[in-house]
């Protein structure tokens, strides 16, 4: 949660600077070029802080699922830092939106059986995923522009293909997680007020951990 809070604190100013003129993709691309220096400083700092956290956490954490995640995250950060003109900025904003959702998941543990609270969390979580979808559109626009850059080598052009496939995969995966959370919420409402079935659904946090593959139970916050 500390990592998530740090990422959000550092990342939202970056998003604010990108959208200072408008939310139009081409205005945002212009903002990247005009505000190159402050964006590079903030994004590189956020990158190194995040990599430092993952290195520290990998030393103390023995769970293989998290260890694989940390190694993958470090690899992506290092790759993005190599192309800090756009890729690092994209990584910072996307991680910020993802971590905002992660904070909401943690907040859901405060009142795990409260349906209005769960509805609020589910709505906020959905908004973060819609925001990610919107920003993925921006990464698509910039990557297509760089793809057709005559100065790019064939190798760089080929590398964009798995990037596009990865973006589509992540979009579909997040859409699936969001749909499953809303489906579980509706089921809980039906069981609570319909009185025709038993509410055997898990709370938002427990269900989220299960659908992302982290099945180790964690005690709820009291």
């Amino acid at each position: 949660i500390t990592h998530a809070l740090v990422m959000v604190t550092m990342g939202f100013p970056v998003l604010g600077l990108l959208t200072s003129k408008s939310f139009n993709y081409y205005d945002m691309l212009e903002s990247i070029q005009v505000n190159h220096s402050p964006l590079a400083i903030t994004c590189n700092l956020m990158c190194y802080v995040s990599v430092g956290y993952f290195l520290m956490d990998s030393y103390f954490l023995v769970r293989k699922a998290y260890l694989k995640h940390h190694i993958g995250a470090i690899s992506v950060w290092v790759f993005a830092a190599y192309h800090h003109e756009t890729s690092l900025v994209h990584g910072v904003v996307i991680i910020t939106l993802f971590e905002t959702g992660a904070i909401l998941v943690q907040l859901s543990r405060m009142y795990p059986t409260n349906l209005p609270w769960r509805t609020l969390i589910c709505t906020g979580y959905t908004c973060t995923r819609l925001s990610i979808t919107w920003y993925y559109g921006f990464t698509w626009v910039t990557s297509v522009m760089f793809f057709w850059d005559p100065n790019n080598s064939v190798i760089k052009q080929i590398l964009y293909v798995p990037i596009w496939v990865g973006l589509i995969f992540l979009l579909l995966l997040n859409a699936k997680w969001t749909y499953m959370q809303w489906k579980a919420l509706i089921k809980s409402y039906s069981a609570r007020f319909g009185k025709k079935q038993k509410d055997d659904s898990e709370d938002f946090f427990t269900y989220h951990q299960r659908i992302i593959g982290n099945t180790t139970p964690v005690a709820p916050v009291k």
Side-chain angles (χ1 to χ4, degrees), residues 110-124:
M110 294 174 61
Y111 309 103
T113 59
N114 186 296
L115 288 184
W117 178 250
R118 180 171 181 171
T119 303
L120 182 63
I121 295 295
C122 205
T123 302

Side-chain angles (χ1 to χ4, degrees), residues 6-129:
V6 171
M7 295 298 100
V8 168
T9 302
M10 300 177 70
F12 270 113
V14 172
L15 181 58
L17 193 57
L18 286 181
T19 57
S20 57
K21 187 175 181 180
S22 76
F23 287 89
N24 181 279
Y25 289 158
Y26 293 100
D27 288 337
M28 291 169 63
L29 184 59
E30 181 182 350
S31 294
I32 288 181
Q33 298 167 344
V34 173
N35 302 294
H36 172 74
S37 294
L39 285 174
I41 293 172
T42 306
C43 291
N44 275 282
L45 179 60
M46 182 172 168
C47 172
Y48 300 141
V49 169
S50 186
V51 169
Y53 159 77
F54 284 126
L55 287 173
M56 179 273 298
D57 210 27
S58 298
Y59 178 77
F60 292 104
L61 215 56
V62 295
R63 289 160 62 180
K64 292 183 179 180
Y66 278 162
L67 187 60
K68 292 177 181 178
H69 167 268
H70 288 4
I71 294 174
I74 292 172
S75 301
V76 172
W77 270 125
V78 171
F79 177 80
Y82 175 75
H83 189 223
H84 61 270
E85 289 85 0
T86 53
S87 298
L88 185 58
V89 178
H90 292 337
V92 163
V93 175
I94 290 173
I95 288 299
T96 299
L97 296 174
F98 267 119
E99 294 293 6
T100 303
I103 293 173
L104 291 173
V105 172
Q106 293 295 331
L107 288 176
S108 70
R109 300 169 63 194
M110 294 174 61
Y111 309 103
T113 59
N114 186 296
L115 288 184
W117 178 250
R118 180 171 181 171
T119 303
L120 182 63
I121 295 295
C122 205
T123 302
Y125 184 84
T126 302
C127 288
T128 63
R129 269 48 198 171

Side-chain angles (χ1 to χ4, degrees), residues 171-206:
L171 283 175
L172 294 176
L173 189 63
N174 278 275
K176 176 184 177 181
W177 289 349
T178 304
Y179 166 75
M180 292 175 70
Q181 285 287 6
W182 278 107
K183 184 178 179 180
L185 178 62
I186 294 173
K187 180 181 178 182
S188 294
Y189 268 110
S190 299
R192 181 76 59 88
F193 298 104
K195 298 180 181 180
K196 293 182 179 179
Q197 55 180 329
K198 181 181 178 182
D199 185 10
D200 57 354
S201 61
E202 299 165 311
D203 62 89
F204 189 98
F205 176 81
T206 304

